[in-house]
Amino acid sequence: MPDLLIELRSEEIPARMQRKAAGDLRKYVTDALVDAGLTYEAAREYWTPRRLTLDVRGLTARSKDVNEEIKGPSTKAPEQALAGFMRKAGLSDISEAHIHTDPKKGDFYVAHISKPGRDAEEIIADVMPGIIRGFSWPKSMRWGAASMPKGSSYHGIEGKGSEALKWVRPLQSIICTFGPETEDPTVIGFKIDGLVAGNTTSGHRFHAPEPFTVRRFDDYAEKLERARVVLDAERRKEIILSDARNLAFASGLELVEDEGLLDEVSGLVEWPVVLMGEFEEDFLQIPDDIIRLTIKTNQKCFVLRKPGNGLSNKFILVSNIEASDGGKEIAHGNAKVVRARLSDALYFWNTDQADLLDRDKLMASAEKLGLDMSKPLDQRMARLDQLDVTFHAKLGTQGERVQRIVKLATELAPAVGADPKLAARAAVLAKADLTTEVVGEFPELQGIMGRIYAGLQGEDASIAAALEEHYKPQGPSDEVSTDPVSIAVALADKLDTLVGFWAIDEKPTGSKDPYALRRAALGVIRLLVENQTSLSLYEVFFAATPIEIWNSDSAYNRVLELSEAAEIVGGSAIEQGFVDQVWAEYVAPERKEKIQLAITRSYMDLLSFFHDRLKVYLRDKGARHDLIDAVITPASDDLLDITRRVEALGAFLDTEDGKNLLAGTKRAANILAAEEKKGTAVADKVDPALFELDEEKNLYSAVNQSVSAATQAIESEDYSAAMSALATLREPVDSFFEAVLVNAENDSVRANRLALLAMIRQATGAVADFSRIAG
């Protein structure tokens, strides 16, 4: 079977674009070949800074002949229908169609279409120019005559304007060869904007710039290697990592590995050469995170550490040139730049620990927030408040937000086992490092620098940790804080964000989530569930309510809309009278009821959003979707409680008692539903005097005992015990259905037996809605 080799060689492609571009090339080409009727055995993409390569193996040499029938309208159809059929079938006259007969429908037209197969070379030459011209890049450019406006000219060269080829960087050559291993491949010489595909490429820009010809992939890869180009990106990464480790080990040091940096650096070189640079030890007084980020961000270099004793003053760089002096000048040049960058970082570090020159102007903010202006981090928080930095146009400033977080963290602290004073102190400093010089230069260090600066000014260890950990978790794989102070501040931060954005109706829509609200909700879920913390979300929502936003004139139209649509359900009723209790001094009497209804409606929607996120979280943990649906109700606002119920229900249904009870309960529910639909009378309560059989008496007794035991277990949140209590119903339920005819002729007996079935439904419903469970 023939193989196809494609290479698109250009100027240097940005490292962040290479992997996706190579994958796109594979997809675009293989999709086009398959759509044209070809098949292939395997395809693999490769990339370097200067080339995208595709190796397609086992490509069929020709597409198959296609014979198809296109059914048309009746022979009595109007002209318009016949014209549409001819266009669809590609016929010039209706006489070219065949007439078929159906016993029921009569005569109708059928077009017999025969399409001969095409050679693969023809198909490839046909699809490749369109793929290249329509290639999707985050950013692209035109060059040469193509960069000039259409109709213009320079030294006799006419501009092509927007019609010209655009590529991420100037495209220099194209390889396109096709053929079996046993023969010389065919060069498919399609043309695009003056470039003609061939079998010629060049190697390393400096070590081997001379052009050379290739035949197929193996020959191509081997010649590139001789021309100082390592085609496989994974192999370049292995070379860099192995050489860097060895070079560090030879100096008695350890490499601080960074997968993201390794990916980026492997996309900057075609022939990786690993070298070691050095800077002055005085710079080691800067925290390790700042040194690492300075060297990584500005020079794309790896830092080294002394075994068990902090960073070293040496670093690893990766060159694209095998220099004659062994890379000394390259390492020296990189070290000069690193020194300059570290000098800046040292200045930022020292400045952040000094008093602010304008701290006297910050006293009003300091007094409002209860800050100690003898401490540098407190001064930065006062500045953040004094600058009135906007958090969101409708949600106020960062300073106002910090005040809300402090209040909420203090209220949440007892529920998570934290000291309220420590939680309040951590919350008031949580965003202080946003105004530091280091975070201004390296935003990814927010939180980390807060922890470091808090430690330097003598804050409690829990407070310092919370300044970093309150941002966590930032995703499904990120670690979750376990320190109670960190949990309190993290919950307050995330819940303030969610409640605030729900108040202004800025919710995620479809794939759009500009404020990362789904991530915030998942963070709350993980903080509560993984720390085994029970919390009523409804109560927290109301505690976090931004009073001034709901009571503003600009929000009142939305208040009216929500209050008219509001339907108070379940747990939301616990907050009736909330406005009277909390807002008496803020809210005009005529607005109280409508604002109460609007807030309740909004928080019902927010709780539903949490339910959706919890379902995703639990499914990722292996829980069955039907068990989750069976446990969650619109008023379920304790996420840990939901999780425990799902776990207990899943374990119970894995047992024989659970499976049989599920079948019996669903049978009872189905009978009840059918009779209720027909309007059959169901007694309000069970009357033991109407029992005719022992199985009725036994079931009645078992249900009462089970309900009593299950209720006690649920009140103590022991759901395994609740399930064990329900398990005792299995035998009496089975016996009841074997011996008892529910639809008795006597109306009173029938109504009583249906009431007994209702007791079964009610008993199991205390734990879950069994009707929503599959099986």
Side-chain angles (χ1 to χ4, degrees):
M1 297 282 282
D3 300 332
L4 172 65
L5 169 65
I6 295 171
E7 182 204 67
L8 305 176
R9 185 174 64 87
S10 66
E11 299 283 352
E12 276 72 7
I13 304 169
R16 68 183 184 278
M17 300 181 188
Q18 293 166 17
R19 180 186 296 272
K20 181 180 184 302
D24 287 346
L25 178 63
R26 174 177 56 80
K27 183 180 187 306
Y28 296 156
V29 172
T30 55
D31 284 357
L33 297 177
V34 170
D35 289 345
L38 301 178
T39 62
Y40 64 96
E41 294 175 357
R44 182 178 175 185
E45 70 274 23
Y46 299 86
W47 62 92
T48 79
R50 299 178 63 217
R51 62 200 82 222
L52 302 179
T53 300
L54 179 63
D55 174 28
V56 182
R57 300 292 176 99
L59 185 65
T60 48
R62 184 179 174 84
S63 63
K64 294 181 179 179
D65 296 340
V66 176
N67 295 304
E68 62 178 329
E69 292 185 353
I70 300 177
K71 186 177 179 180
S74 166
T75 55
K76 300 177 182 178
E79 288 295 326
Q80 189 175 359
L82 296 178
F85 167 62
M86 287 189 291
R87 282 196 302 271
K88 178 181 178 182
L91 305 180
S92 58
D93 189 270
I94 195 64
S95 61
E96 297 175 10
H98 296 256
I99 297 176
H100 290 205
T101 300
D102 184 278
K104 294 181 181 180
K105 297 181 180 180
D107 294 345
F108 60 92
Y109 289 110
V110 174
H112 293 185
I113 307 299
S114 295
K115 295 181 181 178
R118 300 168 65 198
D119 290 336
E121 292 95 329
E122 180 186 347
I123 293 172
I124 295 166
D126 185 41
V127 302
M128 282 306 301
I131 290 173
I132 295 172
R133 196 176 291 279
F135 206 89
S136 176
W137 293 101
K139 290 185 178 180
S140 56
M141 62 179 292
R142 295 188 294 270
W143 57 94
S147 64
M148 296 188 293
K150 186 176 181 181
S152 64
S153 64
Y154 181 73
H155 290 290
I157 302 175
E158 184 177 347
K160 298 181 180 180
S162 60
E163 296 179 1
L165 171 67
K166 292 191 294 184
W167 198 250
V168 63
R169 294 292 184 270
L171 196 58
Q172 296 177 329
S173 70
I174 301 171
I175 288 178
C176 188
T177 66
F178 176 75
E181 293 184 7
T182 55
E183 302 174 9
D184 285 337
T186 300
V187 174
I188 303 177
F190 62 85
K191 297 180 181 180
I192 180 168
D193 271 33
L195 283 174
V196 180
N199 61 350
T200 302
T201 190
S202 296
H204 191 281
R205 180 186 291 278
F206 303 109
H207 290 305
E210 300 82 9
F212 56 88
T213 60
V214 301
R215 300 175 69 248
R216 53 182 53 84
F217 179 78
D218 293 340
D219 171 59
Y220 164 78
E222 181 183 339
K223 287 183 177 178
L224 276 182
E225 190 88 17
R226 291 203 300 265
R228 298 292 195 275
V229 175
V230 179
L231 182 63
D232 188 347
E234 292 302 315
R235 187 160 160 261
R236 291 198 302 276
K237 287 171 61 176
E238 291 171 5
I239 292 170
I240 293 168
L241 189 58
S242 175
D243 289 356
R245 286 170 175 169
N246 291 338
L247 200 56
F249 180 76
S251 297
L253 302 170
E254 297 174 355
L255 177 70
V256 178
E257 298 183 13
D258 186 323
E259 184 64 27
L261 180 59
L262 182 61
D263 268 335
E264 183 175 9
V265 171
S266 70
L268 297 175
V269 296
E270 290 195 314
W271 189 253
V273 179
V274 178
L275 305 170
M276 182 179 288
E278 184 176 353
F279 57 85
E280 287 75 9
E281 291 193 354
D282 289 346
F283 290 120
L284 293 178
Q285 64 182 289
I286 306 172
D288 290 356
D289 286 316
I290 300 178
I291 294 175
R292 179 183 59 80
L293 269 176
T294 298
I295 292 177
K296 170 186 175 179
T297 303
N298 295 298
Q299 285 303 104
K300 314 302 179 190
C301 297
F302 299 84
V303 294
L304 301 174
R305 61 173 166 241
K306 304 167 188 175
N309 192 27
L311 292 185
S312 164
N313 65 322
K314 293 182 170 62
F315 62 92
I316 292 292
L317 61 128
V318 182
S319 170
N320 193 37
I321 299 174
E322 199 169 317
S324 57
D325 66 351
K328 291 181 180 179
E329 282 301 315
I330 296 173
H332 177 71
N334 274 264
K336 285 176 64 177
V337 178
V338 166
R339 289 188 198 102
R341 298 298 187 182
L342 288 177
S343 294
D344 292 342
L346 181 59
Y347 168 78
F348 298 147
W349 167 246
N350 289 330
T351 301
D352 285 341
Q353 296 174 71
D355 289 334
L356 292 174
L357 298 177
D358 61 346
R359 64 174 175 166
D360 292 341
K361 300 178 182 178
L362 308 176
M363 298 310 294
S365 292
E367 185 176 348
K368 177 172 60 177
L369 297 171
L371 298 169
D372 181 351
M373 292 299 280
S374 67
K375 297 182 176 182
L377 201 56
D378 291 61
Q379 295 175 31
R380 271 67 187 177
M381 183 58 234
R383 171 177 278 180
L384 181 65
D385 180 68
Q386 190 263 345
L387 289 173
D388 284 337
V389 177
T390 300
F391 170 65
H392 186 282
K394 297 180 181 179
L395 293 175
T397 66
Q398 285 282 10
E400 291 168 340
R401 180 167 185 259
V402 166
Q403 288 180 280
R404 296 196 299 267
I405 294 173
V406 170
K407 177 177 177 292
L408 187 55
T410 305
E411 294 185 23
L412 287 172
V416 299
D419 183 326
K421 291 182 179 179
L422 293 181
R425 177 64 177 165
V428 80
L429 294 177
K431 309 301 179 183
D433 66 352
L434 295 178
T435 58
T436 61
E437 299 288 339
V438 170
V439 173
E441 181 73 9
F442 302 112
E444 56 266 59
L445 287 181
Q446 67 178 19
I448 295 173
M449 295 314 302
R451 170 180 55 78
I452 293 172
Y453 290 141
L456 288 173
Q457 68 179 38
E459 300 292 342
D460 185 280
S462 291
I463 293 174
L467 301 196
E468 177 181 2
E469 293 177 358
H470 81 279
Y471 289 105
K472 298 179 178 180
Q474 294 188 338
S477 59
D478 195 16
E479 62 182 17
V480 173
S481 307
T482 57
D483 184 281
V485 175
S486 296
I487 295 170
V489 180
L491 286 172
D493 183 28
K494 292 169 175 57
L495 286 165
D496 174 78
T497 299
L498 288 158
V499 168
F501 279 103
W502 248 253
I504 62 174
D505 200 25
E506 293 276 358
K507 297 174 284 191
T509 56
S511 62
K512 295 182 180 179
D513 187 11
Y515 304 111
L517 301 181
R518 292 188 181 99
R519 185 173 70 185
L522 177 61
V524 172
I525 289 167
R526 293 190 61 203
L527 283 164
L528 294 175
V529 173
E530 295 177 26
N531 282 300
Q532 299 294 295
T533 301
S534 289
L535 205 63
S536 167
L537 285 183
Y538 261 129
E539 294 182 7
V540 177
F541 292 164
F542 280 93
T545 299
I547 300 174
E548 66 287 349
I549 293 172
W550 281 105
N551 194 38
S552 66
D553 291 337
S554 61
Y556 198 59
N557 284 338
R558 183 161 178 265
V559 166
L560 292 174
E561 178 186 339
L562 283 172
S563 64
E564 292 169 1
E567 178 184 346
I568 308 301
V569 297
S572 63
I574 65 173
E575 295 300 336
Q576 290 300 298
F578 172 74
V579 174
D580 288 327
Q581 297 166 21
V582 183
W583 289 15
E585 62 182 290
Y586 295 98
V587 181
E590 64 272 13
R591 289 189 173 189
K592 286 181 180 179
E593 182 179 356
K594 291 186 181 298
I595 290 178
Q596 172 66 64
L597 290 171
I599 291 172
T600 303
R601 177 64 178 175
S602 175
Y603 292 162
M604 287 165 53
D605 183 59
L606 178 54
L607 185 61
S608 176
F609 177 74
F610 267 100
H611 289 167
D612 290 341
R613 295 296 94 203
L614 181 63
K615 289 176 183 179
V616 173
Y617 172 77
L618 292 178
R619 284 199 295 266
D620 288 344
K621 294 290 184 182
R624 285 168 44 184
H625 69 88
D626 57 328
L627 302 190
I628 302 171
D629 290 337
V631 166
I632 290 181
T633 69
S636 300
D637 70 337
D638 186 336
L639 305 181
L640 179 62
D641 183 76
I642 294 170
T643 303
R644 286 174 172 170
R645 286 174 184 253
V646 171
E647 291 172 350
L649 183 60
F652 175 58
L653 293 178
D654 284 339
T655 66
E656 283 302 312
D657 283 347
K659 292 172 184 175
N660 288 332
L661 179 60
L662 172 62
T665 302
K666 296 190 81 167
R667 183 177 177 183
N670 290 337
I671 293 172
L672 265 174
E675 295 303 318
E676 288 170 344
K677 187 175 181 180
K678 291 188 292 185
T680 305
V682 180
D684 293 333
K685 62 179 182 179
V686 175
D687 182 358
L690 293 174
F691 291 155
E692 297 178 347
L693 299 172
D694 289 341
E695 285 78 6
E696 293 176 273
K697 300 174 185 177
N698 294 340
L699 179 58
Y700 180 67
S701 174
V703 170
N704 283 323
Q705 293 177 11
S706 173
V707 168
S708 176
T711 301
Q712 292 180 10
I714 290 170
E715 287 176 354
S716 60
E717 298 182 355
D718 186 350
Y719 297 113
S720 294
M723 294 299 171
S724 296
L726 291 180
T728 61
L729 292 175
R730 175 202 169 174
E731 193 280 328
V733 167
D734 289 348
S735 298
F736 176 86
F737 281 119
E738 287 176 6
V740 177
L741 177 64
V742 175
N743 286 317
E745 292 184 6
N746 184 294
D747 291 345
S748 298
V749 172
R750 179 171 64 250
N752 199 56
R753 288 174 178 175
L754 288 173
L756 193 53
L757 298 187
M759 285 186 67
I760 299 173
R761 183 172 64 183
Q762 185 176 0
T764 56
V767 176
D769 182 354
F770 275 47
S771 68
R772 306 190 72 173
I773 301 174

